[in-house]
């Protein structure tokens, strides 16, 4: 089983990419997390370019990566109490056409890390809302990792044992949802 990890931060070594790597360490045997690193290349949404044959390559790559995955895990920072523009832009591309979106019925979960105390709680809620509008099968949980600069151990895991447990439970629910979808197919 494959989970596609998407960091809403464009920085290569962002706290949210680290959070996705921490999640990968907790996955059960037979489940892998692939980190998609093409968000920076996704251009602004433009309906004039939104035809199957003229969609930008980065958008087609993201669409294909989601279709090939069994579930999606998004880690988002919070910019001005909301979703980073580049992540929202990519979700806008993926929402069209709604009936055949790569995210439609796809199990998805959202986590977040920030340098502040709140761990991107508002951004996580917004991303879950957008995923639900697109038709994804959204895990209704959050994982706020605040003060992210000090949240990770040298081995990549979360230092806070309670956060590790919450992450493990969230991943178990996401994997369970993905298994149900696979069994029904």
């Amino acid at each position: 089983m494959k989970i596609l990890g998407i960091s809403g931060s464009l920085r290569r070594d962002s706290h949210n990419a680290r959070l996705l790597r921490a999640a990968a360490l907790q996955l059960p045997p037979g489940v892998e997390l692939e980190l998609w690193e093409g968000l920076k290349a996704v251009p602004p949404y433009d309906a004039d370019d939104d035809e199957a044959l003229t969609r930008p390559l980065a958008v087609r790559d993201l669409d294909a990566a989601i279709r090939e995955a069994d579930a999606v895990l998004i880690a988002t920072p919070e910019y001005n109490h909301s979703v980073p523009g580049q992540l929202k832009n990519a979700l806008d591309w993926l929402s069209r056409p709604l009936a055949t979106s790569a995210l439609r019925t796809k199990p998805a979960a959202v986590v977040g890390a920030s340098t502040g105390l709140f761990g991107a709680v508002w951004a996580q809620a917004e991303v879950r809302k957008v995923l639900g509008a697109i038709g994804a099968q959204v895990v209704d949980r959050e994982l706020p990792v605040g003060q992210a600069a000090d949240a990770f151990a040298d081995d990549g895991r979360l230092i806070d044992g309670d956060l590790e447990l919450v992450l493990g439970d969230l991943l178990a629910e996401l994997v369970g949802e993905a298994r149900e979808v696979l069994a029904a197919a």
Side-chain angles (χ1 to χ4, degrees), residues 71-155:
V72 175
L73 178 62
I74 296 175
T76 185
E78 190 167 283
Y79 294 172
N80 299 311
H81 303 293
S82 192
V83 181
Q86 193 68 7
L87 176 58
K88 176 63 168 69
N89 178 60
L91 293 172
D92 288 343
W93 274 108
L94 293 168
S95 71
R96 291 163 173 82
L98 186 60
T100 59
S101 167
L103 286 166
R104 193 146 192 87
T105 71
K106 184 74 65 175
V110 184
V111 296
S114 69
T115 56
L117 294 173
F118 298 112
V121 171
W122 290 340
Q124 289 180 65
E126 289 297 313
V127 172
R128 283 194 311 275
K129 181 173 77 174
V130 171
L131 288 169
I134 295 171
Q137 199 170 317
V138 183
V139 172
D140 193 21
R141 302 183 86 154
E142 62 189 27
L143 174 70
V145 178
Q147 300 180 324
D150 301 317
F152 299 92
D154 291 340
D155 67 357

